[in-house]
Amino acid sequence: MKYTLVFCVILGIVECVLGITEDEIDRILETKMQKVIQKYDKKIALLEEKIHAQDVKIQNLEKKCSNPTMDAAEHGENASVQQVSLNRANDTGIHSKRQASSSQETLKRSFPTGTSGLVAFCAYMSTSENSPSLHHIFVYDIVKTNLGSAYNRNSGMFTAPDDGVYVFTWTIFSDFHSYIYTQIVVNSAAFDNMITDSQENGDIHSGTKLIIVSLIRGDVVYVRTDDTYPSGGNVFSGRAFGHSSFCGWKL
């Protein structure tokens, strides 16, 4: 009875202050209650869906437990699929290795091979070279011997036609008051170096080096100026004092 009086007093105050009737207040309260009910109805519906999904999972598990042969069949099928995938991967790897081997064999066949089995060459520079720069490859364009056709007079490079042990020698003449740093290079790495120095003498000097190196088919050998120390002056090559040369042979 006490609370009812309090509620009536509150309604009376709301009606006086806001100018809202009791019926309108009832409609507002009813609308809010309906929204609250709808909100909880949605939550209840979601919970029911989750419960249903869990029931389905439980039923499936119970079926597998009651029928172990079906589960084993599924595992066998998965294992078969994995084995097929593995076999395909192995086949792909074998095919790739065969392709790589075929490419390497084709590359090796592209290098010259002497028909007589002998490999030897000797060539010299037809003219002098003035002020060669760093990394300058010398081209010995006058070929006197080229058994096996492994030396290229246009590039100055020797390409090993077969695996084996080879001997190379090169001679450089330094012109008057010149000093020439040279290297013999296997592929892209300097194997040995030499300086021919006539800087303080009014004469022409020569220097000669010899190396023995193991090569595999396709390796490239050539002579160039040093890659670090710059040369000064000119390289001489001519009849008056001698030709700068590059020679080599297979043992």
Side-chain angles (χ1 to χ4, degrees), residues 132 134 179 181 226 228-232:
L134 293 173
Y179 55 97
Y181 290 96
D226 198 276
T228 304
Y229 298 104
S231 300

Side-chain angles (χ1 to χ4, degrees), residues 157-168:
M157 296 184 178
F158 172 86
T159 303
D162 296 298
D163 298 354
V165 178
Y166 292 78
V167 179
F168 295 96

Side-chain angles (χ1 to χ4, degrees), residues 127-199:
T127 59
S128 301
E129 290 206 24
N130 298 328
S131 303
S133 59
L134 293 173
H135 296 276
H136 176 74
I137 298 175
F138 293 110
V139 177
Y140 303 86
D141 54 327
I142 303 299
V143 179
K144 306 300 289 186
T145 303
N146 197 11
L147 298 177
S149 303
Y151 175 75
N152 188 324
R153 63 182 298 272
N154 297 312
S155 65
M157 296 184 178
F158 172 86
T159 303
D162 296 298
D163 298 354
V165 178
Y166 292 78
V167 179
F168 295 96
T169 179
W170 80 103
T171 298
I172 293 292
F173 285 85
S174 57
D175 209 342
F176 293 97
H177 305 291
S178 299
Y179 55 97
I180 308 298
Y181 290 96
T182 57
Q183 296 176 325
I184 189 165
V185 179
V186 178
N187 296 323
S188 60
F191 189 89
D192 200 358
N193 60 283
M194 176 178 68
I195 179 174
T196 308
D197 189 3
S198 56
Q199 182 180 14

